[in-house]
Amino acid sequence: MIFKKSALGSLLFLSLSFFGLTPIVLAASDVPINTTTLEEGKEYTTLPRPLSSQPPVVEFFSFYCGPCYQFIDTYPVSDAINRTLSEGIVTKYHVSLMGALGNELTEAWAIAIVTGKTDQLERPLFEAVRDGKLKNIDDIKSIFSQFGIEPEAYKKMQQSLPVKGTVALQNTAVKNFEVKGTPSFYINGKYQINNAGIAATSPQAYVDNFANTVKILLAR
């Protein structure tokens, strides 16, 4: 999703159109399900200024981004990448630039990272935003309390150095990668995946081809 837009797509190719890209819809016989070669400008682009010392796979997302929610629901590409390569290889950073509580949600995500509760909290936070139930910081704290982090503990963590450092890490990464939309994936600080360039005829084929694209780029 481009940062100036906020909409929830119901289909993969519709949601990918938020990137300003033309959806790719191919007949089943035309789709290489097990792609072994990639084309610059199609499945990926090379960053004009590669970044050193970055995690192998970085995903930028926002809880206000409809396509980002689809990437954990209908098209769980991060899970597939972790299964295919190594559990935890995908580093997820929240983008503060979207939504009324963008900064607060980046902080919330930092707390989830520090406490090791990202898997538990990711979907509830997405769904609270989607359903219009996340209106202030107390609503965020209420969700965390359902997973063992009470409001007082949350408040203390907001002031902790690990959380403050993780917030800064996310915001710095957004700036360094010059992120312009979400969800966006970067490989070894060198390549960006073109989400709409991954050809497929089904959700599972899309997920598999996406993970395979990441695998190939990591080997370069």
Side-chain angles (χ1 to χ4, degrees):
M1 180 180 288
I2 304 302
F3 292 145
K4 292 183 179 179
K5 297 187 178 182
S6 179
L8 177 61
S10 59
L11 298 172
L12 171 66
F13 296 124
L14 176 61
S15 70
L16 292 176
S17 70
F18 287 123
F19 290 87
L21 300 173
T22 302
I24 298 175
V25 183
L26 302 178
S29 60
D30 297 329
V31 178
I33 298 302
N34 294 309
T35 304
T36 56
T37 59
L38 304 179
E39 181 181 342
E40 168 84 28
K42 183 184 177 184
E43 293 92 354
Y44 74 98
T45 56
T46 300
L47 299 183
R49 291 179 293 277
L51 301 172
S52 61
S53 303
Q54 299 299 320
V57 183
V58 177
E59 176 189 354
F60 291 97
F61 77 101
S62 167
F63 287 112
Y64 286 97
C65 164
C68 296
Y69 176 71
Q70 291 188 8
F71 268 30
I72 70 162
D73 186 53
T74 311
Y75 309 91
V77 295
S78 291
D79 286 348
I81 295 168
N82 284 329
R83 286 197 308 270
T84 302
L85 298 170
S86 174
E87 187 62 36
I89 196 171
V90 179
T91 299
K92 291 190 173 187
Y93 292 146
H94 187 265
V95 175
S96 301
L97 301 175
M98 295 172 62
L101 294 172
N103 289 322
E104 289 82 354
L105 284 167
T106 293
E107 181 182 63
W109 189 244
I111 292 174
I113 292 172
V114 170
T115 58
K117 293 181 180 288
T118 54
D119 288 346
Q120 295 171 264
L121 286 158
E122 186 175 26
R123 184 179 292 271
L125 288 169
F126 264 119
E127 293 179 349
V129 172
R130 179 198 64 187
D131 298 339
K133 296 179 179 179
L134 209 67
K135 301 184 183 302
N136 52 53
I137 186 66
D138 288 337
D139 292 333
I140 295 175
K141 291 178 181 178
S142 177
I143 292 173
F144 273 72
S145 69
Q146 298 172 32
F147 297 92
I149 302 176
E150 297 301 327
E152 277 303 313
Y154 190 99
K155 185 177 180 179
K156 289 181 180 178
M157 294 204 70
Q158 286 178 288
Q159 305 304 317
S160 71
L161 290 178
V163 168
K164 287 182 177 293
T166 305
V167 169
L169 178 64
Q170 293 176 90
N171 290 333
T172 299
V174 170
K175 180 179 179 181
N176 289 343
F177 278 95
E178 300 180 2
V179 177
K180 296 179 175 63
T182 56
S184 55
F185 288 76
Y186 296 84
I187 313 303
N188 281 338
K190 298 178 181 178
Y191 310 108
Q192 180 179 2
I193 302 295
N194 294 333
N195 297 348
I198 308 297
T201 55
S202 69
Q204 188 58 55
Y206 182 86
V207 169
D208 292 344
N209 288 348
F210 198 110
N212 194 47
T213 297
V214 171
K215 181 179 180 180
I216 293 170
L217 291 175
L218 280 172
R220 291 189 174 182

